[in-house]
C-alpha cells in the first residue's frame, strides 16, 4: 500500500455533530456534555470525525450558511425527536442512517399522547391525529385516554375512575415528573385545573389507569450502520439533589439483532416476554400509522402491576426516539459487538448518581460535574463481561 493510499484510508468518511433541536428542551449543561460524549463515541464507531455542535445551521450537509464545512456525510445526534420533517430534510436528514434518534411528521407523535385514543369521535385533536393507532395498540397499552380540552379530560377521567384511581400525566414531562394520581372526582378536577390551559390545548394530557407498585421495563433498539442491537431491562429510581424521586439508571441485556431476536431467547419470563412483545407491537403500529416516521434509536417503557381491582396489567407507557438514559449502555454494546463479531449478547448498566458519587474505576463516564440546574451529578455505564453472554 502506498503512503497516499494509507493516508486516504485514514481519512474520516463523514462528521458527527450534536444538534440542539429545541434550546429549551434537554439542553442543560449535563445533557449537552453527555450528548457530546456519546457523539464522540459514535464518531469512532462510524470512523467519522467529531465536529462539535452544528448550531442549528441549515442547508444540505449544513454548507449553506455554515462558517465552516464538514467532510463527507453528516450524522446528527439531536437533543430530542425531530418534529419538523421539512427542517430535517433541510439539515440533510433523510433517513435513519443520518441521525441517532428519530423524526416524526407531527410534534404530538413524539409525546405520550399517541399511546391512547381520544374520549370520543368528536373530541378535539391536533392536525394529523391517527385514529388507527388507538386500535392498533389495543392490548399493548394500559386503559386510558388522551384529551386536548379540559372538559374532555374530565369526562375521560370520570369514565376511568369507575374502575379505580387514575394517573394524570402531562404528555411532555419525562421521568415521571408532573404526574399525579386522582382517587375521586374532586382530586381529578383539582389536578386538571392545575394544568396550564395552553399546554393542554396544544399538547394534551393523558389519563390512564393507575397500577400499584408497578415494575417498569425498558425495551429498545439502536441501529448504527450494519449493527442492530435490541435490549430489555429494568429501570431504577433514585433521589435527586432536591430529594425528588427521578430516573436513576437501567440494567439491560443487549442482543444482536431485532426484537424477534430478543423474543427468541428461551429463558425469558412470561412478564418479560409480554413486555417485549407489547413494545414490538407498539413500534410497528407507529410505523404503520405514521408513514413519515423513522428512527435509529427507539426505547419503550412498559409498566406491569395490579390495578385497583387486583387484576395484573401490562402496557407501554411511552416512547423515546432520542438520546436517553439507556444510551450509555446502548453505545457500550455497539462498541463490544464491533470489536467482537462472535459476541451475541452483553449485559450493561447505566447510572445517574446525584450528590457525592463514588464512580467505579472501570466505569465509562458520560458526565461528572456540578450542573448549574441540578447540582452535583455523575452519569456512567458499566459492562458485565460474562462468558454466558457470548452465546
Amino acid at each position: 500500500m502506498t503512503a497516499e493510499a494509507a493516508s486516504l484510508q485514514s481519512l474520516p468518511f463523514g462528521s458527527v455533530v450534536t444538534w440542539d433541536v429545541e434550546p429549551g428542551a434537554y439542553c442543560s449543561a449535563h445533557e449537552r456534555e453527555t450528548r457530546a460524549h456519546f457523539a464522540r463515541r459514535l464518531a469512532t464507531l462510524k470512523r467519522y470525525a467529531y465536529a462539535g455542535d452544528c448550531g442549528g445551521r441549515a442547508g444540505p450537509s449544513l454548507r449553506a450558511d455554515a462558517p465552516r464545512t464538514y467532510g463527507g456525510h453528516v450524522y446528527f445526534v439531536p437533543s430530542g425527536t425531530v418534529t419538523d420533517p421539512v427542517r430535517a430534510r433541510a439539515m440533510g436528514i433523510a433517513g435513519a442512517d443520518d441521525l441517532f434518534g428519530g423524526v416524526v411528521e407531527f410534534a404530538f407523535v413524539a409525546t405520550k399522547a399517541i399511546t391512547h385514543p381520544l374520549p370520543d369521535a368528536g373530541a378535539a385533536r391536533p392536525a394529523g391525529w391517527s385514529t388507527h393507532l388507538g386500535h392498533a395498540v389495543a392490548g399493548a397499552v394500559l386503559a386510558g385516554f388522551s384529551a386536548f380540552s379540559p372538559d374532555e379530560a374530565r369526562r375521560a377521567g370520570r369514565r376511568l375512575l369507575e374502575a379505580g384511581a387514575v394517573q394524570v400525566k402531562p404528555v411532555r414531562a419525562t421521568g415521571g415528573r408532573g404526574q399525579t394520581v386522582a382517587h375521586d372526582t374532586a382530586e381529578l378536577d383539582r389536578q386538571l385545573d392545575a394544568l396550564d390551559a395552553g399546554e393542554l390545548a396544544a399538547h394534551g394530557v393523558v389519563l390512564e389507569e393507575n397500577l400499584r407498585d408497578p415494575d417498569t421495563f425498558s425495551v429498545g433498539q439502536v441501529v448504527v450502520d450494519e449493527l442492530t442491537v435490541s435490549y430489555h431491562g429494568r429501570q431504577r429510581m433514585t433521589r435527586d439533589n432536591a430529594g425528588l424521586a427521578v430516573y436513576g439508571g437501567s440494567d439491560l441485556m443487549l442482543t444482536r439483532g431485532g426484537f424477534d431476536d430478543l423474543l427468541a431467547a428461551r429463558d425469558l419470563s412470561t412478564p418479560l416476554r409480554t413486555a417485549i412483545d407489547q413494545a414490538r407491537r407498539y413500534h410497528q403500529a407507529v410505523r404503520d400509522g405514521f408513514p413519515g416516521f423513522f428512527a435509529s434509536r427507539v426505547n419503550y417503557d412498559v409498566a406491569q402491576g395490579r390495578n385497583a381491582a387486583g387484576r395484573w396489567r401490562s402496557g407501554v407507557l411511552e416512547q423515546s426516539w432520542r438520546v436517553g438514559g439507556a444510551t450509555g449502555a446502548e453505545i457500550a454494546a455497539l462498541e463490544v459487538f464491533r470489536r467482537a463479531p462472535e459476541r451475541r449478547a452483553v449485559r450493561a448498566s447505566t447510572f445517574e448518581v446525584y450528590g457525592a458519587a463514588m464512580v467505579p474505576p472501570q466505569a465509562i463516564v458520560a458526565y461528572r460535574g456540578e450542573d448549574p440546574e441540578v447540582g452535583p451529578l455523575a452519569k456512567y455505564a458499566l459492562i458485565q463481561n460474562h462468558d454466558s453472554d457470548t452465546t
Side-chain angles (χ1 to χ4, degrees):
M1 181 183 296
T2 66
E4 181 181 8
S7 176
L8 287 173
Q9 282 198 350
S10 68
L11 290 175
F13 299 117
S15 301
V16 175
V17 297
T18 58
W19 175 24
D20 290 352
V21 180
E22 294 181 40
Y26 312 115
C27 291
S28 65
H30 76 85
E31 287 167 324
R32 282 185 169 141
E33 189 168 325
T34 299
R35 203 154 46 246
H37 167 85
F38 293 148
R40 291 186 184 95
R41 292 166 65 191
L42 286 165
T44 299
L45 275 167
K46 295 177 66 65
R47 293 187 62 199
Y48 280 17
Y50 171 62
D53 184 74
C54 74
R57 294 184 291 272
S61 296
L62 307 181
R63 290 183 173 85
D65 302 311
R68 56 192 171 90
T69 60
Y70 299 94
H73 176 239
V74 181
Y75 184 85
F76 293 83
V77 184
S79 57
T81 305
V82 182
T83 60
D84 183 345
V86 174
R87 189 181 181 195
R89 288 192 295 270
M91 299 288 279
I93 301 173
D97 289 338
D98 297 323
L99 82 167
F100 190 85
V103 174
V104 297
E105 299 167 271
F106 306 97
F108 72 86
V109 181
T111 76
K112 58 177 69 74
I114 65 168
T115 303
H116 297 292
L118 301 172
D120 54 68
R125 69 200 66 194
W129 184 265
S130 170
T131 56
H132 157 84
L133 193 68
H135 299 293
V137 299
V141 301
L142 302 176
F145 297 99
S146 293
F148 292 85
S149 80
D151 288 343
E152 289 161 0
R154 285 185 173 83
R155 289 201 300 272
R158 279 165 167 71
R159 197 183 312 176
L160 291 169
L161 279 171
E162 294 174 3
V166 176
Q167 285 246 358
V168 179
K169 303 164 70 172
V171 303
R172 297 199 298 171
T174 61
R177 294 177 176 85
Q179 297 182 13
T180 55
V181 179
H183 296 86
D184 53 42
T185 57
E187 283 189 335
L188 176 69
D189 289 342
R190 285 196 298 273
Q191 292 168 15
L192 291 176
D193 287 342
L195 298 178
D196 181 87
E199 175 77 10
L200 195 159
H203 302 288
V205 64
V206 161
L207 301 112
E208 188 175 73
E209 67 176 315
N210 184 60
L211 302 184
R212 298 195 297 263
D213 301 319
D215 290 326
T216 302
F217 288 99
S218 289
V219 181
Q221 185 176 112
V222 291
V223 181
V224 176
D225 296 335
E226 80 285 359
L227 287 173
T228 298
V229 174
S230 299
Y231 61 85
H232 61 77
R234 291 178 182 268
Q235 297 181 6
R236 284 175 274 102
M237 299 299 287
T238 189
R239 295 284 175 179
D240 67 11
N241 292 308
L244 300 176
V246 296
Y247 173 79
S250 299
D251 302 308
L252 305 177
M253 169 62 82
L254 305 104
T255 303
R256 284 184 187 268
F259 292 130
D260 289 344
D261 295 284
L262 275 186
L263 287 168
R266 293 188 293 270
D267 60 346
L268 298 178
S269 66
T270 298
L272 178 54
R273 189 174 295 278
T274 298
I276 296 170
D277 182 62
Q278 288 178 324
R280 179 180 64 169
R281 288 171 56 195
Y282 189 104
H283 180 66
Q284 188 60 50
V286 173
R287 294 178 64 183
D288 293 341
F290 298 99
F293 162 74
F294 59 84
S296 63
R297 192 271 176 179
V298 304
N299 179 279
Y300 301 100
D301 289 345
V302 184
Q304 297 182 342
R306 297 195 178 276
N307 63 13
R311 181 185 174 195
W312 187 84
R313 300 281 289 130
S314 177
V316 176
L317 298 179
E318 60 183 316
Q319 74 285 5
S320 173
W321 302 315
R322 60 172 179 83
V323 167
T327 297
E330 295 162 0
I331 296 178
L334 289 167
E335 292 166 341
V336 170
F337 292 144
R338 175 63 59 79
R339 291 194 305 266
E342 75 285 356
R343 193 77 178 262
R344 302 305 305 171
V346 172
R347 293 183 186 274
S349 297
T350 62
F351 298 84
E352 299 193 6
V353 182
Y354 294 82
M358 296 294 293
V359 178
Q362 70 273 30
I364 306 170
V365 179
Y367 176 84
R368 188 176 188 180
E370 183 87 17
D371 182 272
E373 296 180 26
V374 304
L377 172 64
K379 299 161 74 172
Y380 60 92
L382 291 172
I383 301 172
Q384 302 176 28
N385 290 311
H386 296 310
D387 292 340
S388 60
D389 297 338
T390 62
T391 59

